[in-house]
Amino acid sequence: MCGIALSIGPDADPTFFRRMLAVLAPRGEVTEARYESGLLAGTRRLRVVDRDRAVQPWTSTDERWLLCYNGEVFNHRELRTELSRLGHDFRGDSDTEVVLAAFEHWGAEAVHRLRGEYAFAVVERATGRVYLARDPLGVKPLYWAREPGCLHVASEVKALVGYGVPVSEVPPGQHGWADADGHVRLRPYVDLLALGAGLPVIDDPDEAALLVRAALRDSIRVRVDTDLTVGVVLSGGLDSSLVLHEVRELDQDCLAITIGAPGSPDVAYARRLAADLGVPHEVVELRPRDIRLADIREAIRISELTEYGDIINAVVSVPLFRRLRQLGVKVALTGDGSDELFGGYPMYHEVGSEASRRLFLHRIRNLGRTELQRVDRTSMGHGVETRVPFLDPSVVELAMRLPLELKLRDGREKWIVRRAFAGVLPEYVLRRPKNPMSYSSGLHERARLYKPLFARLYRSFGYQLLEPVRRDFDSVLSRCGNDLDQAIADGLARPDYTVLEHARDLVGAAKWNAAPMVRRLVGPRRTRGGDEAPLTG
């Protein structure tokens, strides 16, 4: 994993380019760059695969092509074997080299062969044309900005805002060329709205459970193919628990990490599971009152997120990945994406089958700028590469073939996942109900206290050059009776919360945060000897 940056065109400025790379410094360990007339390219590389030889920018043997690459391609060994048979000679063992070799051989069609989480740019050095591509779900980010005489490309918005021009995103599952004149023409290479469409519905519970278990195990398997210690972000819920269980089965060198307030459900469940599995467990205990304005500002700076709820989750995520980095862990897995696929949200079950499918696909298509953006920025902001096995395209496609009745049954959300891992996970995990991340950590209401300041802090970093902060889509959808079309229109008509809505939110958060103080003031006092003082009239 890396942070990548390019400036292409006659007006490419080395001074500004070095600033771009410096902004991306937390994403990696070493800075590697190439300076040519009209082409400035570099990476901040986190050394994970072929750590000593996978130096970037990577160039083809004939020097025609230059690659800046962020991510991991998990089937790189299979592709290497195939390309070797086709006559390609390799200089090292990295997936970086395989990506460029695949592009050389298959051109833009190479993305259909890559199984991974990636974003990359390939420059034709003689012409200045650049090919951009991003993985199907948008696990890895890619942005661009254009000035007269120069095109800039980077892994994060913060690397581009210094130019003061509009910033655009390469959408998930899209690729295309930017010509020498800087015009970017992108098109989808995968249709996220059609995943699973036209394939047979899998409605037999036994068959579905076997397929879900096999798909998830395979997805986790390819993501722990490393000689490094693997961390698992563990909330003690169903999704992260099954990830930890499978990682433990595949790789002895792993550890779990949990964040939460003392006594929170996440900490209690996670401690029990880690002990049962015999996995080393790190707990980041954070008291609500420990979250201050500086922590909110730092979470917004790192995450660049555009919805309020995601920002609150980022506030909780930042200390967790900071601790992983302190522990020397560079690769981690999470359970993100399961709720979107397997019916973890009430909205899916409050509408009909066809409407629920549209909701599933809408959320999946937007993960790249919501949950996955939070995961990427808060982890890579501390030099930790985070992998998301639930969002392997094979798992997503399978989930879209399952009827709603297998996702919600007997009052249980994600029923088919529970069925798939029954007898594998402890009953206390299988029975635990879904609870949103920041709530179950016990830290949500403290972060919500600062919510009216989010938009102003966001603008202070210049991130509105991409898009402004907006209302949480879930809240808009709920007010629209889960009517997707109406919610989209409503969100466009009024992006942000009103002053009155912010005031109500602030009052609610203030009451929650004041409650412990009130309890201390009105509760029974203790004598110096430790006995309670007698009650008086």
Side-chain angles (χ1 to χ4, degrees):
M1 294 287 183
C2 304
I4 65 175
L6 299 98
S7 288
I8 307 159
D11 294 335
D13 187 325
T15 300
F16 279 98
F17 176 72
R18 280 190 285 269
R19 292 176 189 169
M20 289 173 63
L21 271 179
V23 168
L24 298 173
R27 294 185 71 93
E29 301 164 287
V30 292
T31 298
E32 298 164 343
R34 184 161 176 160
Y35 295 82
E36 301 177 5
S37 177
L39 171 59
L40 311 175
T43 65
R44 180 67 177 175
R45 183 165 64 95
L46 185 64
R47 294 179 288 194
V48 174
V49 180
D50 199 6
R51 295 187 278 276
D52 295 326
R53 291 182 293 179
V55 177
Q56 294 195 48
W58 188 270
T59 54
S60 58
T61 305
D62 62 6
E63 294 285 315
R64 177 184 177 186
W65 303 104
L66 176 147
L67 169 69
C68 286
Y69 164 60
N70 170 33
E72 301 290 345
V73 168
F74 303 121
N75 63 335
H76 69 94
R77 289 187 178 86
E78 296 90 331
L79 290 173
R80 176 187 301 274
T81 299
E82 182 177 2
L83 288 162
S84 294
R85 286 199 302 262
L86 293 169
H88 193 91
D89 292 324
F90 287 92
R91 292 168 273 167
D93 297 317
S94 72
D95 58 331
T96 301
E97 186 176 11
V98 170
V99 168
L100 187 54
F103 176 82
E104 285 185 272
H105 191 82
W106 293 300
E109 294 301 304
V111 288
H112 296 288
R113 296 172 175 265
L114 305 180
R115 181 187 185 183
E117 303 165 353
Y118 55 82
F120 61 86
V122 179
V123 182
E124 187 175 42
R125 293 174 57 244
T127 65
R129 291 196 311 152
V130 57
Y131 169 79
L132 306 174
R134 189 177 179 194
D135 67 70
L137 275 297
V139 180
K140 292 292 105 185
L142 196 60
Y143 302 92
W144 57 274
R146 190 177 68 205
E147 294 183 292
C150 201
L151 173 73
H152 309 287
V153 179
S155 293
E156 297 187 10
V157 179
K158 60 179 65 71
L160 297 171
V161 295
Y163 294 103
V165 297
V167 177
S168 298
E169 178 184 27
V170 176
Q174 293 202 17
H175 67 160
W177 288 91
D179 295 331
D181 60 7
H183 290 287
V184 179
R185 298 172 179 85
L186 301 172
R187 58 185 175 83
Y189 65 88
V190 61
D191 185 357
L192 290 177
L193 297 181
L195 288 173
L199 296 173
V201 172
I202 303 168
D203 54 10
D204 178 79
D206 292 332
E207 179 188 8
L210 287 172
L211 290 172
V212 167
R213 186 166 168 178
L216 284 171
R217 282 184 160 172
D218 182 64
S219 182
I220 293 168
R221 176 188 62 80
V222 300
R223 286 166 172 79
V224 296
D225 184 13
T226 176
D227 61 349
L228 299 171
T229 299
V230 176
V232 176
V233 178
L234 177 66
S235 70
L238 174 67
D239 311 319
S240 62
S241 294
L242 76 84
V243 171
L244 179 63
H245 179 276
E246 296 304 308
V247 171
R248 177 68 176 79
E249 289 290 300
L250 292 162
D251 191 342
Q252 298 283 331
D253 187 12
C254 65
L255 65 85
I257 186 165
T258 304
I259 187 168
S264 65
D266 278 7
V267 171
Y269 275 93
R271 277 187 167 140
R272 183 177 180 183
L273 181 69
D276 286 349
L277 294 178
V279 174
H281 187 208
E282 182 78 11
V283 176
V284 180
E285 284 200 335
L286 193 65
R287 296 169 301 176
R289 66 176 180 270
D290 293 335
I291 297 176
R292 305 295 178 88
L293 179 59
D295 302 300
I296 304 295
R297 179 180 175 84
E298 178 66 358
I300 291 173
R301 184 196 68 79
I302 288 175
S303 69
E304 308 172 349
L305 286 159
T306 60
E307 289 194 17
Y308 287 83
D310 294 317
I311 292 172
I312 291 175
N313 285 339
V315 173
V316 177
S317 299
V318 166
L320 185 150
F321 288 111
R322 181 187 298 131
R323 182 58 183 149
L324 270 183
R325 183 54 175 166
Q326 290 170 350
L327 293 169
V329 175
K330 293 198 289 186
V331 175
L333 270 65
T334 79
D336 291 282
S338 175
D339 293 315
E340 286 74 13
L341 298 181
F342 295 106
Y345 298 115
M347 70 183 77
Y348 293 142
H349 314 297
E350 296 168 358
V351 297
S353 180
E354 183 55 36
S356 71
R357 178 180 174 81
R358 290 191 66 211
L359 288 174
F360 277 115
L361 293 170
H362 178 84
R363 288 193 68 103
I364 291 167
R365 188 171 61 173
N366 281 276
L367 279 172
R369 65 165 196 82
T370 55
E371 193 164 344
L372 288 177
Q373 181 168 321
R374 171 186 59 80
V375 171
D376 173 80
R377 300 300 194 283
T378 57
S379 63
M380 291 301 292
H382 296 93
V384 178
E385 173 189 315
T386 303
R387 302 171 179 180
V388 282
F390 276 97
L391 293 175
D392 192 285
S394 64
V395 178
V396 177
E397 184 178 272
L398 173 61
M400 291 301 100
R401 297 174 60 192
L402 304 179
L404 187 62
E405 292 73 24
L406 292 185
K407 298 178 180 181
L408 177 71
R409 181 176 285 197
D410 302 330
R412 286 288 190 188
E413 85 286 346
K414 296 184 285 191
W415 180 86
I416 192 61
V417 180
R418 299 175 196 275
R419 171 73 174 272
F421 287 87
V424 175
L425 293 175
E427 279 297 316
Y428 61 84
V429 170
L430 294 171
R431 290 194 305 267
R432 186 184 179 189
K434 163 68 182 172
N435 205 349
M437 172 186 175
S438 58
Y439 288 92
S440 57
S441 69
L443 301 170
H444 176 91
E445 292 298 326
R446 177 66 179 186
R448 187 165 73 105
L449 191 64
Y450 299 94
K451 192 174 171 183
L453 303 177
F454 286 5
R456 188 174 71 189
L457 291 171
Y458 177 89
R459 289 192 298 270
S460 73
F461 297 112
Y463 297 157
Q464 76 282 357
L465 290 170
L466 176 68
E467 59 177 318
V469 168
R470 63 181 74 177
R471 289 182 290 167
D472 294 306
F473 186 77
D474 287 355
S475 66
V476 178
L477 188 65
S478 178
R479 293 182 184 184
C480 294
N482 293 321
D483 184 318
L484 181 60
D485 293 324
Q486 184 181 341
I488 292 172
D490 192 344
L492 292 172
R494 183 166 65 84
D496 204 350
Y497 292 106
T498 65
V499 173
L500 180 59
E501 287 172 326
H502 272 308
R504 289 173 179 169
D505 200 48
L506 180 60
V507 168
K511 286 181 178 178
W512 186 93
N513 282 274
M517 183 180 297
V518 172
R519 285 195 294 270
R520 287 195 296 271
L521 290 173
V522 303
R525 289 175 296 172
R526 293 184 177 273
T527 65
R528 289 183 180 178
D531 298 326
E532 289 185 359
L535 295 174
T536 61

